[in-house]
Amino acid sequence: MESDDEDLVGEGSLTAEEEAELVDLIQDLIGLMLSVRIEAEPPVPGVAERLARQIRMGIGEPDCRIQVSDDGADAVLGPMRLDADDSAGALRSAMITLGGSWGDVVNITTSTDPVHYANRAAVDGPDEAGVARIHLWAANAWDLARYIEEHS
């Protein structure tokens, strides 16, 4: 009987390059991701990316990628080398890096694994850049994508 891996490949075989790309993709999907969303009116371009860069350095992940949304209100960091099973810990580290008074870390139940969430408001209304609230989510990439899909 053929193994599951052989079923996925079919009758052909993967080249070494294709196999390496597949391994990288799988590692990305199970890797820890952290999402930053900026709530501001009007939208303030560049702030989410700036905060994502600050988090990236503060949690010791200088090489992880940052992807920014077209409108600049969202930025996603990852995958990170940090333990994907400790997304709550990674979220707390990001909160400490950004400073300020955060609420509790909330464990959001999804159809797969949990996504951890926290947010904080700017003190006494929007800050000097116009940011009113910062939202953070942390989970492995697969679960974070599933959460976004379920809540959009």
Side-chain angles (χ1 to χ4, degrees):
M1 181 171 209
E2 292 183 57
S3 73
D4 290 339
D5 292 339
E6 290 172 356
D7 288 342
L8 291 174
V9 174
E11 292 184 19
S13 63
L14 294 175
T15 66
E17 184 178 304
E18 291 170 330
E19 185 176 323
E21 287 177 15
L22 184 58
V23 167
D24 287 345
L25 177 61
I26 291 169
Q27 288 175 340
D28 284 355
L29 287 173
I30 61 173
L32 182 63
M33 305 292 273
L34 196 135
S35 177
V36 179
R37 176 159 183 78
I38 301 304
E39 188 178 315
E41 193 56 47
V44 183
V47 175
E49 182 176 11
R50 180 178 53 79
L51 294 177
R53 289 181 188 281
Q54 184 178 344
I55 291 168
R56 181 170 69 177
M57 296 309 291
I59 63 176
E61 291 285 339
D63 299 322
C64 77
R65 295 185 304 262
I66 295 176
Q67 184 174 353
V68 182
S69 65
D70 291 338
D71 67 1
D74 298 281
V76 178
L77 296 86
M80 297 179 223
R81 294 182 316 259
L82 299 172
D83 182 3
D85 290 334
D86 187 22
S87 57
L91 186 63
R92 284 187 193 94
S93 294
M95 293 160 57
I96 290 168
T97 296
L98 295 179
S101 297
W102 294 84
D104 293 331
V105 172
V106 177
N107 181 353
I108 301 169
T109 303
T110 66
S111 63
T112 54
D113 285 327
V115 173
H116 292 92
Y117 168 76
N119 73 81
R120 76 170 168 100
V123 179
D124 299 324
D127 68 9
E128 63 277 356
V131 174
R133 185 168 296 279
I134 302 169
H135 303 269
L136 299 175
W137 292 266
N140 71 46
W142 177 256
D143 294 329
L144 192 55
R146 178 64 82 191
Y147 169 79
I148 291 167
E149 179 182 297
E150 289 176 2
H151 293 89
S152 61

